[in-house]
Amino acid sequence: MTSAIDIGRATALADARKPDARLDASGLQALAARSVGGPKARGAARRGPFRPEVWLNARQRHASRLAVHWFRSADVAAVSIITVAILWAMTPAGLLAAPLSAAVPLAVGATIVLGLMRSLGLYRFARGQKTPLHLAAVAGLALLGGLAAILLDAVLAGGATLAVYIIWTALITVSLYVLHMGWSDLVAGWRAKGALTPNIVLVGATRHAETLIKEALKRRDINVLGVFDDRLARSPDTVVGVPVLGDAEALMTHRMTPYVDRIVLAIDPRAEKRVRELTARLSALPNEVTLLVDPADAGERSAALDRLASAPLASLDGRVDDDRRAFNKRIQDIVIGTVALILLAPVMALTALAIRLDSPGPIFFRQRRHGFIHEEIVVWKFRSMRQDAADATASRQVTTDDDRVTRIGRFIRSTSLDELPQIFNVLKGEMSLVGPRPHAIGMKTGAVESARLVAEYAHRHRMKPGMTGWAAIKGSRGPLHSAQDVRRRVQLDIEYIERQSVWLDLWIMVVTIPVLLGDRAAVR
């Protein structure tokens, strides 16, 4: 009895190579054969039936996934404020003078409401969910919390009047009702524009792929963006209208990769050698890989698709997972980043003035770098080089006494003041305060692109890049002059990703300034 999907997840790295897919001779012949026909026909064939109207990359889609944590936080805040306000109104002498017999019933009622909303899945906002039923459940839990508070007050002889609990229950019901109407409308809007519809690509132009695509066309809760096949010479142009875009090597460098949530191996799992080879090859991508096992019947097939489509919103249950860590990290970035921007605004203004007076050219330097899951982001820095010597691709890394660096540039690079504008990237959500440092796209170590020197290089892209990081405080910062330098940087970045926590981030931020300023030998 085979299961519908083997979630043998191959969490992947990424290979930041240039987008020039390499095909063997047979693959090139197949592509040449497909080129017959007009450009309009070829363009229509390449789009396929699932192409989203609005393209959202992995970072943008991940932000939507984390919205449930914001929803719950708002609910907790609303219930807490109402509970404290009612308790304050009950005790004219002040909250500190409130007896426990009065406070406990309200606190227990609030805990019951919030706890049951989470445990009963009222933050899942599943596809096809009926909004009136959802709102009725919210109102019912508010009433249940109010009833529990009344019964507990009777047991503890709290002395509060029935009117107090009726008012509390009414306020909780109305506030949560309004909030969840807003959450439901917001999620519905995201679904309408495809922000919560998983994007997948299939590897293998097989009968398994054909069956999955036919079912997905009926359900419309999964986007199959394309098919890749390692046996390209034998594969058709399309599979049920979904274009075959190349072989497995083409997938490694395809521009679609940052928009893909999952790669599904739609090949016979009994072909163990082929599965192993493809899994090993796809381990150079940051996307999750799943092996599709041929379902035995329609029920198993439906369950398989349910599992592929069931992860649009993060879960609030269970252990602290990657989604919850990402949510906590985002709150940290917003709060600390905003405070830092306010406190450092005078320093940034003086730095900008010094750059303007020191040399002609713009104050800021912008450079395209790799972000989360291969996203290309524009990173902001204070300009430290002469305008005519700007190096957007980092083809030549900075050396001691580099003649391209200006007088002010040497100072702001040695103190890392040139990195301060990246606070705007952090607040925008493209970067984090702590994470692997973003490398320029196409950055070279010697004459070789850095990403080609270490197989595990793109593990770094499994988390948003940071203004500082574990590697930076461990001495791996600045230029990378050899494959050994690249390997050490990657090892430290992977170690951070596996250990990341709010407390580790805070510690890294605290030690960053003394570590950077105390290292006079580093070239920055």
Side-chain angles (χ1 to χ4, degrees):
M1 187 76 174
T2 58
S3 60
I5 280 189
D6 178 8
I7 304 287
R9 297 179 177 177
T11 307
L13 343 168
D15 189 4
R17 289 175 286 184
K18 293 181 180 179
D20 54 338
R22 292 177 173 79
L23 302 176
D24 57 19
S26 60
L28 290 171
Q29 290 173 1
L31 289 179
R34 292 172 189 163
S35 65
V36 177
K40 183 175 181 180
R42 291 198 304 273
R46 280 295 184 256
R47 284 192 294 273
F50 290 100
R51 287 300 178 98
E53 294 183 9
V54 178
W55 286 86
L56 300 174
N57 60 41
R59 177 181 57 80
Q60 294 165 326
R61 295 163 66 79
H62 193 239
S64 298
R65 278 177 48 81
L66 297 181
V68 290
H69 292 281
W70 293 106
F71 297 165
R72 175 164 169 79
S73 298
D75 288 356
V76 170
V79 172
S80 300
I81 290 171
I82 291 171
T83 301
V84 171
I86 292 292
L87 188 59
W88 175 77
M90 290 170 54
T91 53
L95 287 175
L96 296 179
L100 285 178
S101 59
V104 168
L106 291 176
V108 170
T111 302
I112 288 174
V113 173
L114 295 171
L116 287 178
M117 287 180 63
R118 173 176 172 174
S119 61
L120 294 179
L122 293 186
Y123 294 101
R124 290 175 186 162
F125 298 97
R127 183 182 296 273
Q129 173 181 278
K130 303 298 183 183
T131 300
L133 292 179
H134 176 88
L135 296 177
V138 170
L141 291 182
L143 293 173
L144 181 62
L147 179 61
I150 292 172
L151 293 177
L152 189 57
D153 179 84
V155 172
L156 298 177
T161 63
L162 182 62
V164 168
Y165 293 109
I166 292 176
I167 293 172
W168 180 86
T169 304
L171 291 175
I172 295 292
T173 302
V174 171
S175 62
L176 292 180
Y177 196 93
V178 171
L179 285 172
H180 278 254
M181 283 183 63
W183 307 152
S184 298
D185 289 344
L186 193 57
V187 172
W190 288 337
R191 291 196 190 283
K193 71 176 184 179
L196 296 178
T197 303
N199 291 334
I200 69 172
V201 295
L202 303 179
V203 176
T206 63
R207 63 180 180 84
H208 302 318
E210 182 178 348
T211 301
L212 185 147
I213 293 170
K214 287 179 179 178
E215 290 294 326
L217 282 169
K218 296 177 184 177
R219 297 164 53 113
R220 287 293 178 178
D221 55 359
I222 301 172
N223 289 329
V224 185
L225 301 183
V227 178
F228 294 82
D229 199 308
D230 57 318
R231 300 175 180 179
L232 190 62
R234 311 181 199 173
S235 63
D237 292 343
T238 63
V239 179
V240 197
V242 176
V244 178
L245 300 175
D247 62 2
E249 186 69 18
L251 175 59
M252 306 289 288
T253 56
H254 204 283
R255 294 179 62 185
M256 187 186 293
T257 303
Y259 302 90
V260 173
D261 296 302
R262 190 183 303 230
I263 298 169
V264 177
L265 296 182
I267 59 179
D268 190 340
R270 290 172 296 183
E272 297 181 2
K273 181 179 179 181
R274 189 181 178 197
V275 170
R276 286 196 304 269
E277 290 176 350
L278 281 172
T279 301
R281 193 179 309 174
L282 295 174
S283 66
L285 286 170
N287 312 78
E288 186 176 331
V289 179
T290 296
L291 175 63
L292 176 69
V293 178
D294 188 25
D297 52 38
E300 285 195 3
R301 187 179 304 116
S302 178
L305 290 171
D306 286 341
R307 295 184 69 173
L308 286 175
S310 65
L313 288 174
S315 173
L316 288 167
D317 302 319
R319 60 181 178 80
V320 177
D321 56 15
D322 291 339
D323 285 328
R324 211 170 310 171
R325 285 203 307 171
F327 174 72
N328 295 338
K329 192 173 179 64
R330 182 60 184 148
I331 292 178
Q332 171 185 272
D333 287 341
I334 292 174
V335 174
I336 299 179
T338 300
V339 173
L341 180 61
I342 294 171
L343 296 178
L344 293 172
V347 177
M348 295 174 69
L350 290 174
T351 303
L353 178 61
I355 293 170
R356 173 66 73 187
L357 296 176
D358 180 58
S359 63
I363 293 172
F364 297 104
F365 172 67
R366 295 180 297 173
Q367 188 177 56
R368 300 194 72 82
R369 300 191 179 188
H370 282 298
F372 180 63
I373 308 292
H374 271 180
E375 178 190 10
E376 292 187 8
I377 62 175
V378 177
V379 171
W380 290 73
K381 299 179 67 175
F382 282 124
R383 180 175 60 85
S384 61
M385 294 185 180
R386 301 192 318 272
Q387 183 181 5
D388 60 345
D391 185 6
T393 61
S395 57
R396 172 188 165 191
Q397 298 194 49
V398 178
T399 57
T400 305
D401 297 327
D402 197 309
D403 60 355
R404 298 172 297 170
V405 180
T406 64
R407 290 175 301 171
I408 292 297
R410 290 190 182 91
F411 173 73
I412 63 175
R413 290 179 72 91
S414 66
T415 56
S416 294
L417 290 175
D418 60 325
E419 309 284 356
L420 290 182
Q422 290 169 32
I423 293 177
F424 296 110
N425 291 105
V426 171
L427 295 178
K428 189 178 178 181
E430 296 172 332
M431 290 179 59
S432 182
L433 291 171
V434 181
R437 287 292 297 147
H439 289 173
I441 297 172
M443 184 184 77
K444 292 183 178 179
T445 299
V448 183
E449 190 174 340
S450 302
R452 297 178 182 271
L453 295 175
V454 180
E456 294 83 5
Y457 181 89
H459 265 303
R460 321 173 68 250
H461 300 149
R462 286 161 38 197
M463 183 172 284
K464 285 192 289 189
M467 292 184 64
T468 185
W470 184 247
I473 67 170
K474 290 295 182 179
S476 179
R477 52 187 173 274
L480 299 169
H481 298 296
S482 67
Q484 184 177 357
D485 291 342
V486 178
R487 187 171 295 107
R488 172 167 165 75
R489 175 82 53 89
V490 171
Q491 288 173 344
L492 289 169
D493 287 337
I494 293 173
E495 181 182 348
Y496 165 74
I497 291 173
E498 292 174 348
R499 294 179 53 190
Q500 190 275 326
S501 68
V502 170
W503 298 112
L504 179 61
D505 284 357
L506 292 174
W507 185 80
I508 291 173
M509 283 185 268
V510 167
V511 303
T512 289
I513 295 178
V515 166
L516 294 185
L517 294 182
D519 187 357
R520 313 311 299 175
V523 178
R524 296 193 287 271

